[in-house]
């Protein structure tokens, strides 16, 4: 073929796709964030489209990454590529981005710092473009972190463009989930070029006038596949392109066959250089490729390879790197090599590349079992495992297995590789090896691997049977201690999921007794033990398992955050809001900084619940939003139920019924599909909380039914609960529901049970006092009820800690007291109206619309009216503006506020400007005063 000079960068067609990408860029320039997903099969032109589009973004700061199949196991590798060209001084402000993320770094912590970096880059006034090619090869941490970022781009000028294959398993599920959750997205599917575009490409590649009919035949044969068109034109003799003797055109039957034929006509030096590049499978210095190929003059050998369109060269870059143009070229060239030639080239490549890449070449060069290399690979793999790089460890252990001489060594390394892979919580890699695992000799490790595979596939009964067998067998074999720890950890998760606390305690206790556990595993196992004790004996007993923690949790080391968060949860269940908030805030802040606590998603969710009970509803709503974003980032469903429950609390309290019911419906599906006790508790509590806000007592009782051990007896007798978590909250809702449904004796017996489990501290004192009054009223003892209410409101007024009096429940107590004073005429109408109006003001400050409306209805029924209140200017602030306002008013800088909210500084600045305008203030100094004044 006669190739036209300067045709290397030739780009034709894709006008529609280019226009849609340009439209996205314009919207980003105007102040919106957008995601564009380019899909298409290999070689269809995705990379060319991305490169051309990125080149047009001269007014953007462009961050570029190309994922690679060989680097899928390198955690955070794509994020590292995106930040590689960022100013080092700027990047140093974000420790999780400045180097390789530490082992255990969570995607929301890495994503949070990436959001801060994007905000800092926007301070120049330029939009930012984040471009990721070949997303299907991206590592899990990078995919999850990017997904988290895209959900938190609130007011940023950031354009994200990713290219992927439509059949890519690794990226398909998280990408689909992401696309469903975002509004500003566009999806472009690249197909073959049209016949006119094929003609344009051919004319741009070939000198002179093309023969009649050539384009039609070319289009029919290639279906417009750009890479195939280029290859065919390179394959066809020049005469056939111009003289019309198309019978002499040897049309290759496939792209790969054509590439091989094309290569065979090149000079030997060029063929050798291409073979070396196919084996290296990376951008390498030309001198390195030439040395491996054994060519004396690599520059001369490169010329024909470049002219063929198979190689590309960057002569202006340091070390003058070269590479094959496309992975399809690499595969086709590699297939032409004889086994002997491949082995020799891989052996040579191992000596010229870095240690990490050298392992793959050493394995490929091995002609059969190699005990020494297998031992080295296992040692390297276990070092990677110790550093938390489980995916890399799994790959090297699998290679070691393949090179093992004895069956025993082969099976042990195979099973260990699967175990390491499963620790990444991505089942796909190891699931493909299940037939080989099942053929291994029985033993604890085999049972453990099969159990985790079953658990991840949702086969929980089979999983528990395998894991229990693995755990018991491993405990009997001291040499298999690490297998006992692994099996015990997963087994404890299953028993906890099903609410079997006593069994969890036993598994965790015996796992801890193994000894010699690393600090993080020890802490997580302690947390599991305490949580098991919670399910078995309740939160007060469970606190005794956490006495190693100091009263003030702020100085605890990062490896103790799981037990600290667990203590915060137990304190919440006991109604001790102030210490619960302190523990959970510390754990959440450290998790945000990258501590890698396993309870990160749960921590935020239950911190939101603490804020709700303490009356900080705006903060509760903001934290729940973050909890939902964090839960959505993870591949597993861990954290989904808690996050949705935390969101329901304020939504129900403010009468946002559609949003609240949507979460309840999702919780119902989770409870049904998983059948786990934890999901049942969150689902039932969420439904009962919505029904309570609606004052629908029969619906409250129906929602609580899955939590009850038996059917309520209208004639009396306590109704027993099945589960301990949120036990006191469950009982409080149950007493209210039974009273409202005309079952006062059952309510009284249940209240007595609640009193026995309650130690009289925290906000629950208000709840218990109010419930005692409601029961007394329902039993026909109004004067006893008045006395109970009177003592309770006095005690609340004298409390020194505001957290001891949840504003919602305090208002409900005052409302019931005022209502009963009116009904019994035990005090003047003025006194009764004062209590009702006090409750009305407290509920109005929370913006608890359904509760406010019922209070107003009670006042109206007695001929009274609530005092006129000026509409709060807080109502003019959006949910996101309120989130920013309260965090900034707490004294944070813009960057600190952005870090806490998981947004960019640009977002904080954007919302602050709107907040100032709406509240009529001019500085952050005035913000706290304005918020306090508007809430009073």
């Amino acid at each position: 073929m006669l190739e036209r000079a300067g045709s290397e960068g030739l780009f034709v067609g894709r006008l529609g796709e280019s226009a849609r990408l340009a439209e996205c860029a314009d919207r980003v320039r105007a102040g919106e964030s957008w995601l564009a997903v380019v899909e298409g099969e290999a070689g269809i032109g995705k990379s060319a489209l991305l490169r051309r589009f990125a080149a047009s973004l001269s007014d953007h700061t462009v961050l570029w990454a190309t994922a690679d199949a060989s680097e899928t196991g390198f955690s955070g590798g794509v994020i590292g590529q995106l930040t590689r060209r960022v100013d080092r001084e700027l990047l140093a402000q974000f420790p999780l981005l400045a180097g390789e993320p530490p082992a255990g770094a969570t995607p929301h912590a890495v994503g949070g710092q990436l959001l801060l970096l994007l905000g800092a880059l926007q301070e120049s006034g330029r939009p930012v473009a984040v471009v990721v090619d070949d997303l299907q090869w991206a590592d899990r941490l990078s995919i999850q972190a990017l997904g988290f970022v895209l959900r938190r781009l609130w007011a940023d000028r950031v354009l994200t463009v990713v290219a992927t294959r439509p059949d890519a398993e690794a990226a398909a599920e998280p990408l689909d989930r992401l696309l469903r959750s975002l509004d500003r997205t566009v999806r472009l599917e690249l197909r073959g070029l049209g016949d006119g575009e094929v003609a344009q490409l051919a004319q741009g590649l070939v000198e002179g006038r093309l023969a009649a009919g050539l384009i039609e035949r070319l289009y029919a044969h290639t279906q417009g596949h750009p890479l195939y068109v280029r290859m065919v034109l390179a394959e066809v003799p020049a005469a056939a392109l111009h003289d019309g003797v198309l019978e002499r055109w040897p049309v290759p039957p496939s792209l790969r066959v054509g590439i091989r034929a094309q290569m065979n006509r090149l000079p030997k030096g060029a063929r050798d250089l291409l073979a070396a590049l196919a084996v290296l499978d990376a951008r390498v210095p030309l001198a390195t490729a030439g040395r491996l190929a054994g060519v004396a003059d690599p520059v001369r050998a490169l010329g024909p390879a470049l002219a063929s369109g198979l190689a590309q060269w960057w002569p202006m870059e340091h070390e003058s790197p070269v590479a094959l143009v496309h992975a399809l070229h690499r595969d086709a060239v590699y297939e032409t090599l004889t086994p002997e030639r491949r082995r020799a080239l891989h052996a040579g490549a191992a000596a010229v590349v870095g240690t990490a890449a050298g392992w793959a070449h050493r394995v490929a060069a091995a002609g059969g079992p190699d005990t020494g290399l297998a031992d080295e690979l296992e040692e390297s793999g276990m070092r990677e495992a110790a550093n938390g790089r489980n995916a890399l460890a799994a790959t090297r252990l699998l290679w070691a297995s393949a090179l093992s001489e004895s069956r025993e060594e082969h099976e042990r390394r195979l099973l260990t590789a699967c175990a390491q892979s499963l620790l990444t919580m991505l089942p796909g890699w190891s699931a493909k090896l299940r037939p080989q695992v099942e053929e291994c000799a029985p033993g604890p490790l085999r049972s453990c691997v099969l159990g985790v595979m079953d658990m991840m596939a949702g086969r929980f009964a089979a999983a528990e049977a395998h894991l229990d067998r693995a755990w018991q067998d491993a405990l009997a074999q001291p040499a298999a201690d690490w297998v006992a720890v692994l099996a015990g950890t997963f087994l404890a998760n299953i028993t906890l999921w099903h609410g079997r606390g006593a069994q969890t305690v036993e598994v965790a206790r015996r796992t801890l007794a193994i000894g010699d556990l690393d600090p993080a595993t020890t802490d997580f196992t302690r947390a599991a033990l305490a949580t098991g004790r919670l399910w078995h004996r309740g939160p007060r007993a469970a606190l005794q398992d956490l006495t190693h923690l100091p009263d003030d949790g702020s100085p605890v080391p990062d490896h103790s955050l799981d037990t600290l968060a667990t203590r915060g949860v137990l304190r919440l269940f006991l109604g001790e809001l102030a210490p619960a908030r302190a523990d959970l805030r510390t754990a959440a802040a450290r998790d945000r900084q990258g501590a890698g606590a396993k309870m990160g998603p749960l921590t935020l969710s239950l911190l939101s619940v603490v804020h709700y009970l303490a009356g900080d509803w705006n903060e509760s709503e903001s934290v729940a939003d973050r909890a939902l974003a964090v839960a959505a980032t993870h591949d597993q469903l861990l954290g989904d139920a808690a996050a949705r429950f935390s969101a329901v609390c304020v939504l129900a309290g403010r009468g946002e019924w559609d949003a609240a019911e949507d979460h309840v419906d999702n919780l119902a599906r989770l409870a049904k599909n998983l059948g786990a006790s934890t999901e049942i508790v969150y689902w039932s509590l969420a439904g009962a909380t919505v029904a309570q806000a609606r004052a629908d007592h029969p619906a409250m009782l129906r929602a609580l039914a899955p939590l009850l051990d038996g059917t309520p007896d209208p004639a009396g007798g306590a109704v027993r609960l099945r589960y301990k978590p949120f036990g006191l909250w469950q009982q409080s809702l149950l007493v209210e529901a039974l009273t409202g449904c005309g079952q006062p004796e059952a309510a009284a017996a249940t209240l007595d049970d609640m009193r026995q489990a309650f130690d009289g501290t925290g906000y629950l004192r208000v709840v218990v006092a109010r419930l005692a009054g409601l029961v007394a009223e329902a039993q026909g003892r109004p004067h006893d009820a008045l006395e109970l209410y009177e003592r309770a409101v006095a005690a609340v007024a004298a409390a020194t800690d505001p957290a001891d009096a949840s504003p919602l429940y305090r208002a409900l107590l005052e409302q019931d007291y005022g209502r009963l004073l009116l009904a019994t005429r035990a005090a003047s109408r003025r006194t009764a109206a004062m209590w009702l109006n006090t409750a009305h003001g407290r509920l109005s400050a929370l913006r608890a619309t359904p509760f406010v409306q019922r209070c107003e209805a009670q006042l109206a029924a007695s001929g009274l009216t609530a005092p006129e209140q000026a509409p709060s200017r807080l109502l003019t602030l959006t949910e996101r503006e309120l989130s920013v306002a309260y965090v900034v008013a707490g004294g944070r800088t813009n960057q600190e506020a952005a870090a806490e909210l998981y947004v960019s500084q640009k977002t904080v600045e954007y919302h602050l400007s709107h907040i100032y305008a709406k509240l009529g203030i001019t500085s952050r100094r005035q913000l706290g005063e304005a918020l306090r004044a508007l809430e009073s």
Side-chain angles (χ1 to χ4, degrees):
M1 184 189 84
L2 300 175
E3 186 168 294
R4 185 185 299 275
S7 63
E8 296 85 355
L10 179 64
F11 183 90
V12 302
R14 310 303 186 199
L15 298 180
E17 294 87 350
S18 297
R20 294 183 72 185
L21 289 173
E23 182 183 353
C24 290
D26 286 340
R27 292 186 176 184
V28 169
R29 292 183 182 100
E32 299 178 346
S33 61
W34 274 80
L35 166 66
V37 179
V38 180
E39 290 184 325
E41 63 179 287
I44 202 67
K46 303 185 298 296
S47 299
L49 177 62
L50 261 60
R51 285 194 298 269
R52 185 174 180 86
F53 175 64
S56 72
L57 300 176
S58 57
D59 60 336
H60 285 61
T61 298
V62 179
L63 307 180
W64 180 287
T66 300
D68 187 277
S70 65
E71 297 181 355
T72 302
F74 288 88
S75 187
V78 167
I79 299 295
Q81 284 192 54
L82 290 173
T83 60
R84 186 171 296 160
R85 292 181 174 82
V86 173
D87 177 76
R88 296 294 99 183
E89 187 174 341
L90 172 61
L91 198 61
Q93 299 176 31
F94 313 108
L96 298 182
L97 306 180
E100 183 180 350
T106 57
H108 56 273
V110 174
Q113 294 203 359
L114 183 55
L115 280 162
L116 295 177
L117 174 61
L118 294 175
L121 292 173
Q122 291 174 75
E123 289 178 3
S124 67
R126 294 163 59 90
V128 177
V130 177
V131 185
V132 181
D133 197 8
D134 283 330
L135 183 71
Q136 71 276 1
W137 302 125
D139 61 281
R140 176 186 180 229
L141 175 63
S142 293
I143 290 178
Q144 291 178 313
L146 284 170
F148 183 76
V149 166
L150 289 169
R151 292 182 178 91
R152 306 298 293 176
L153 291 172
W154 287 0
D156 298 270
R157 296 198 298 160
V158 175
L159 171 62
T160 306
V161 185
V162 301
T164 187
R165 298 180 189 175
D167 57 347
E169 294 180 12
E173 184 179 347
L175 184 61
D176 286 342
R177 190 164 63 243
L178 181 65
L179 288 172
R180 288 195 298 269
S181 67
L182 297 177
D183 295 327
R184 295 188 293 273
T185 63
V186 61
R187 200 164 191 163
L188 308 176
E189 183 179 357
L190 291 195
R191 300 181 181 275
L193 299 172
D195 53 359
E197 293 164 337
V198 169
Q200 186 181 355
L201 178 59
Q203 194 63 64
L205 290 171
V206 180
E207 292 280 7
R209 185 172 179 276
L210 297 175
L214 182 139
I215 297 302
E216 290 80 356
R217 186 176 179 189
L218 185 62
Y219 176 74
H221 184 70
T222 65
Q223 292 300 299
H225 192 291
L227 191 60
Y228 205 172
V229 170
R230 286 177 176 267
M231 185 276 301
V232 170
L233 289 174
E235 169 74 7
V236 177
L241 297 175
H242 298 304
D243 65 11
V245 188
L246 296 180
E247 293 79 6
R248 299 208 311 265
W249 180 356
V251 178
S254 72
L255 181 56
R256 286 193 179 187
V257 171
I259 292 172
R260 290 197 292 271
Q262 185 180 358
M263 182 182 174
N264 289 337
R265 288 198 302 275
L266 294 175
K268 182 178 184 303
R271 294 201 306 272
D272 289 343
L273 187 65
L274 290 172
L277 290 174
V279 167
L280 290 166
D281 194 22
R283 277 193 3 155
V284 295
L286 177 58
T288 298
R291 187 163 65 253
L292 178 60
V295 296
D297 187 351
V299 174
R300 182 176 182 181
L302 180 62
L306 291 173
S308 71
L310 296 176
Q312 51 189 333
W313 184 28
W314 294 268
M316 302 306 294
E317 291 189 19
H318 180 61
E319 295 187 321
S320 191
V322 291
L324 293 178
V325 171
H326 198 277
L328 290 175
H329 291 144
R330 185 266 177 192
D331 294 344
V333 173
Y334 192 78
E335 288 173 2
T336 66
L337 304 179
T338 65
E340 293 80 6
R341 181 64 170 149
R342 288 185 191 180
R343 181 180 180 181
L345 286 171
H346 278 296
V352 300
V353 299
T355 303
W359 287 115
H361 291 298
R362 293 181 65 189
V363 171
D370 186 328
T371 301
L373 180 54
D375 290 344
E376 288 184 62
L377 282 164
E378 180 175 17
E379 183 181 351
S380 171
M382 297 314 293
R383 280 199 306 270
E384 297 292 357
N387 291 322
R389 293 187 283 268
N390 303 104
L392 273 179
T395 298
R396 290 180 190 168
L397 285 162
L398 187 63
W399 289 342
S401 172
L403 295 173
S404 301
E405 290 196 39
S406 71
R407 175 173 179 174
E408 180 182 357
E409 289 290 276
H410 164 73
E411 291 183 354
R412 181 180 61 79
R413 286 162 172 163
L414 169 68
L415 293 171
T416 307
C418 289
Q420 290 297 326
S421 173
L422 290 166
L423 286 173
T424 68
M425 303 307 287
L426 285 175
W429 188 91
S430 56
K432 295 174 182 177
L433 297 173
R434 179 156 188 144
Q436 296 180 48
V437 171
E438 291 175 338
E439 290 176 2
C440 292
L445 184 52
R446 175 184 181 274
S447 297
C448 182
V449 169
L450 290 173
V452 180
M453 286 179 174
D454 284 332
M455 188 183 80
M456 291 187 177
R459 297 185 291 268
F460 297 112
E464 184 171 354
H466 280 304
L467 288 168
D468 186 64
R469 186 182 307 113
W471 185 63
Q472 298 285 359
D473 292 348
L475 287 175
Q477 300 178 18
D481 283 350
W482 75 273
V483 180
V485 172
L486 184 64
T489 300
F490 282 104
L491 181 60
N493 272 284
I494 288 181
T495 55
L496 266 183
W497 234 17
H498 292 291
R500 299 201 298 273
Q503 188 176 354
T504 302
V505 168
E506 177 64 10
V507 173
R509 184 189 66 77
R510 293 185 66 182
T511 302
L512 285 170
I514 292 171
D516 198 29
L517 305 183
D518 65 87
T521 301
T522 298
D523 191 68
F524 181 67
T525 308
R526 276 180 162 177
L529 191 153
T531 307
R533 190 93 65 192
L534 158 70
W535 283 88
H536 181 46
R537 294 181 50 201
R540 184 62 65 190
L543 280 176
Q544 299 308 306
D545 295 308
L546 304 178
T547 53
H548 66 287
L549 294 169
D551 289 339
D552 177 9
S554 57
V556 301
D558 285 350
H559 61 69
S560 294
L561 291 180
D562 285 325
T563 50
L564 182 66
T566 300
R567 187 177 71 176
V569 172
L570 298 176
R571 286 171 160 176
L572 162 62
F573 291 164
L574 290 167
E576 300 169 0
L577 298 184
R581 175 149 51 185
D583 284 348
L584 292 170
R585 268 183 166 162
T586 297
R590 298 280 198 81
D591 180 62
R592 187 169 64 245
Q593 293 161 8
K598 295 178 177 62
M599 292 185 63
L602 185 64
T603 300
L604 273 180
S605 300
L606 295 185
L607 178 58
S608 169
V609 175
V610 172
H611 290 316
Y612 162 76
L613 292 171
D616 299 321
W617 282 19
N618 293 319
E619 191 163 4
S620 174
E621 202 165 26
S622 174
V623 175
D625 172 70
R626 282 172 259 163
L628 287 166
V630 168
T633 299
H634 293 260
D635 292 332
Q636 305 299 313
L637 294 175
L638 176 65
D640 271 19
R644 290 188 181 279
F645 169 66
S646 70
V648 163
C649 293
V650 172
L651 290 171
R654 287 182 168 161
E656 298 178 32
W657 308 120
D658 290 344
E661 293 288 2
D662 182 63
H663 284 302
V664 173
D665 289 344
N666 277 289
L667 284 166
R669 282 191 286 273
L670 279 173
K672 179 180 179 180
N673 293 336
L674 299 177
S677 301
T678 49
E679 275 67 26
I680 292 171
V681 170
Y682 285 122
W683 165 49
S684 295
L685 279 179
T689 301
V690 173
Q692 180 190 41
R694 291 183 183 272
D696 187 342
H697 297 109
M700 286 179 70
L701 207 52
R702 289 194 300 272
L704 294 168
L707 306 180
L708 308 183
D709 188 7
T711 305
D713 180 4
V719 179
R720 307 294 177 186
L721 295 170
R722 298 170 60 192
Y723 307 117
K724 299 291 185 181
F726 284 109
L728 294 173
W729 195 343
Q730 293 179 52
Q731 285 177 309
S732 71
L733 291 170
L734 181 57
V735 172
E736 185 173 339
L738 290 169
T739 304
C741 289
Q743 300 182 41
E745 301 311 317
T750 303
L751 180 58
D752 287 341
D753 266 7
M754 183 179 177
R755 284 197 180 104
Q756 291 176 22
F758 173 54
D759 60 6
T761 61
Y763 84 96
L764 284 165
R765 288 186 302 178
V766 180
V767 176
V768 170
R770 173 177 175 259
L771 293 175
L774 291 177
V775 169
E777 284 190 71
Q779 290 177 327
R781 299 182 288 113
H783 295 292
D784 290 343
L786 280 173
E787 186 177 346
L788 289 166
Y789 291 145
E790 186 175 358
R791 287 203 305 266
V793 295
V796 173
T800 56
D801 188 347
D804 283 342
S806 170
L808 173 64
Y809 290 102
R810 183 176 181 180
L812 294 178
L813 171 66
E814 293 163 342
Q815 181 181 344
D816 286 327
Y817 184 35
R819 170 187 52 77
L820 190 56
L821 285 174
L822 278 174
T824 59
R825 299 182 181 179
S828 66
R829 283 166 57 84
R830 181 178 180 181
T831 300
M834 178 197 73
W835 287 111
L836 286 170
N837 287 330
T838 299
H840 184 274
R842 221 179 287 283
L843 294 169
S844 296
L846 293 173
R847 292 190 285 130
T849 303
F851 295 96
V852 169
Q853 290 172 345
R854 284 195 292 278
C855 190
E856 290 175 346
Q858 289 174 356
L859 283 164
S862 302
L864 301 171
T865 57
E868 285 290 332
Q869 293 185 343
S872 172
R873 276 186 288 173
L874 281 181
L875 296 176
T876 67
L877 300 183
T878 66
E879 178 185 331
R880 290 177 175 177
E881 288 167 352
L882 283 168
S883 295
V884 171
Y886 280 96
V887 172
V888 170
R892 280 80 154 183
T893 65
N894 284 0
Q895 180 157 331
E896 289 169 342
E900 183 168 338
L901 292 169
Y902 289 117
V903 295
S904 70
Q905 306 94 295
K906 172 79 162 46
T907 289
V908 172
E909 293 162 4
Y910 172 85
H911 286 309
L912 271 180
S913 65
H914 287 265
I915 293 164
Y916 291 165
K918 290 180 179 181
L919 298 185
I921 58 178
T922 58
S923 71
R924 60 198 305 127
R925 183 182 61 79
Q926 299 171 295
L927 182 57
E929 298 174 2
L931 292 177
R932 286 189 292 273
L934 293 170
E935 287 179 337
S936 61

